[in-house]
């Protein structure tokens, strides 16, 4: 019997996982709150709605919790990532759960390399909730994946800001544009998820590409390639939701399982990305 994967949160990443899993002959059941583009319109933070769903589908062997907070604050994070994850675990106790977390839980500002054992001091309200959800998943024998910034077809914050003229080179006491950008291509992230599921790996993993690069180096390469000027300098945005961090995320633990990204760096994917990104007129 083929394994059954329930994807709770069938958005940008979930859709890529679904496509890859079905190509591998997995049975995939997708759900989203809106139901748009999904097999089921279900709010998985609602225990009653999830129980009704459970009665109508094949029991999943694996669950992917890949919903977003809708750019909300702590209340939205708690609802989706903590309460929603608990609902999934309680409704499908026999399934192995993979939880999508974020490398934003690392608050380092000294440019150091961080791995799964690194300090997690200096939490924000949202990162505290993510860590609480991670502990819940790991205690249940599941897997928590800390993803770097996701980009891919039709989606790249870095490239869109550069092309639109909205990008700035951050000027800090540490230097100009020194902040390290940690990225992962959507399709590489999807491959990592399925790789770990198929290898029956549990625990905590960073999902990031091989070559974190500084903001200055990234923009300089884009400027040279596209024959455009470098962005102007500016101080870091004090209103940034995630706050200012400066660290390089290591993917060595994930690589040790046999996974390697098709796109080892953000810059290696630019040629493929460009035709999909709308440019400002």
């Amino acid at each position: 019997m083929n394994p059954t994967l329930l994807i709770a949160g069938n958005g940008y990443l979930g859709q890529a996982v679904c496509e890859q899993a079905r190509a591998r002959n997995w049975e995939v059941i997708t759900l989203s709150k809106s139901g748009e583009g999904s097999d089921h319109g279900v709010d998985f933070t609602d225990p009653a709605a999830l129980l009704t769903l459970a009665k109508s589908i094949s029991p999943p062997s694996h669950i992917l919790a890949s919903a977003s907070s809708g750019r909300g604050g702590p209340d939205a994070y708690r609802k989706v990532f903590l309460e929603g994850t608990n609902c999934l675990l309680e409704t499908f106790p026999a399934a192995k759960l993979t939880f999508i977390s974020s490398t934003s839980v690392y608050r380092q500002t000294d440019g150091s390399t961080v791995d799964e054992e690194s300090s997690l001091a200096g939490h924000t309200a949202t990162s505290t909730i993510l860590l609480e959800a991670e502990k819940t998943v790991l205690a249940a024998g599941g897997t928590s994946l800390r993803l770097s910034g996701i980009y891919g077809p039709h989606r790249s914050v870095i490239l869109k800001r550069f092309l639109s003229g909205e990008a700035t080179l951050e000027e800090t006491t540490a230097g100009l544009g020194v902040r390290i950008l940690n990225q992962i291509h959507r399709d590489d992230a999807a491959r990592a998820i399925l790789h770990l599921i198929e290898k029956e790996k549990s625990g905590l993993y960073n999902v990031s590409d091989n070559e974190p690069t500084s903001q200055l180096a990234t923009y300089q390469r884009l400027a040279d390639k596209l024959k455009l000027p470098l962005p102007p300098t500016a101080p870091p945005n004090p209103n940034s939701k995630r706050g200012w961090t400066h660290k390089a995320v290591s993917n060595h633990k994930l690589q040790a399982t046999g996974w390697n990204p098709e796109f080892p760096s953000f810059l290696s994917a630019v040629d493929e990305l460009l035709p999909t990104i709308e440019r400002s007129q």
Side-chain angles (χ1 to χ4, degrees):
M1 176 181 288
N2 291 333
T4 300
L5 174 64
L6 173 65
I7 298 177
N10 192 39
Y12 188 68
L13 176 61
Q15 290 170 13
V17 174
C18 176
E19 181 179 346
Q20 290 186 24
R22 284 176 172 161
R24 301 183 192 195
N25 295 318
W26 280 60
E27 180 181 347
V28 182
I29 302 166
T30 62
L31 60 92
S32 61
K33 189 173 182 179
S34 69
E36 184 177 354
S38 300
D39 299 318
H40 301 275
V42 175
D43 179 357
F44 71 85
T45 67
D46 181 344
L50 204 55
L51 185 59
T52 299
L53 172 72
K55 294 175 180 178
S56 67
I57 63 173
S58 301
S61 56
H62 297 79
I63 298 172
L64 174 64
S66 57
S68 74
S69 66
R71 300 184 180 180
D75 289 344
Y77 267 63
R78 181 166 294 279
K79 184 72 172 176
V80 172
F81 298 122
L82 191 55
E83 295 179 16
T85 298
N86 278 317
C87 283
L88 289 167
L89 288 169
E90 290 169 6
T91 307
F92 303 102
K96 168 86 174 288
L97 192 143
T98 298
F99 173 72
I100 301 302
S101 185
S102 169
T103 56
S104 65
V105 298
Y106 300 112
R107 307 305 304 165
Q108 283 77 356
T109 59
D110 59 357
S112 58
T113 297
V114 297
D115 62 20
E116 293 80 359
E117 302 299 321
S118 295
S119 167
L120 298 173
H123 303 160
T124 62
T126 53
S127 65
T128 297
I129 293 167
L130 284 177
L131 291 171
E132 191 175 348
E134 285 186 3
K135 289 179 181 178
T136 299
V137 171
L138 295 175
T143 303
S144 181
L145 305 182
R146 293 174 179 167
L147 268 64
S148 290
I150 299 176
Y151 71 93
H154 309 288
R155 175 171 165 175
S156 171
V157 172
I158 292 173
L159 196 51
K160 283 185 176 180
R161 286 179 178 171
F162 183 83
L163 292 171
S164 68
E166 297 175 13
T168 59
L169 276 170
E170 295 171 349
E171 193 167 17
T172 71
T173 55
L176 178 63
V178 298
R179 181 167 65 88
I180 298 171
L181 305 178
N182 298 281
Q183 298 276 285
I184 184 68
H185 193 286
R186 177 200 64 181
D187 296 345
D188 281 330
R191 279 187 280 271
I193 290 165
L194 293 174
H195 168 79
L196 291 171
I197 289 175
E198 291 177 339
K199 292 286 186 180
E200 298 184 354
K201 298 291 186 180
S202 299
L204 180 64
Y205 294 87
N206 291 333
V207 181
S208 195
D209 66 26
N210 296 347
E211 301 173 25
T213 54
S214 72
Q215 187 185 65
L216 177 59
T218 300
Y219 287 153
Q220 185 65 68
R221 290 280 299 278
L222 289 176
D224 293 345
K225 181 177 185 60
L226 301 173
K227 304 295 188 284
L228 292 171
L230 278 172
T233 61
N237 179 6
N239 299 316
S240 174
K241 178 180 173 182
R242 293 188 174 184
W244 195 85
T245 64
H246 174 35
K247 77 269 183 174
V249 176
S250 169
N251 68 6
H252 289 171
K253 182 179 178 181
L254 178 57
Q255 280 191 312
T257 69
W259 171 90
N260 267 299
E262 181 179 329
F263 300 96
S265 71
F266 168 74
L267 292 169
S268 70
V270 168
D271 285 343
E272 179 184 286
L273 284 178
L274 277 170
T276 75
I277 303 296
E278 292 185 9
R279 303 195 188 199
S280 299
Q281 299 300 316

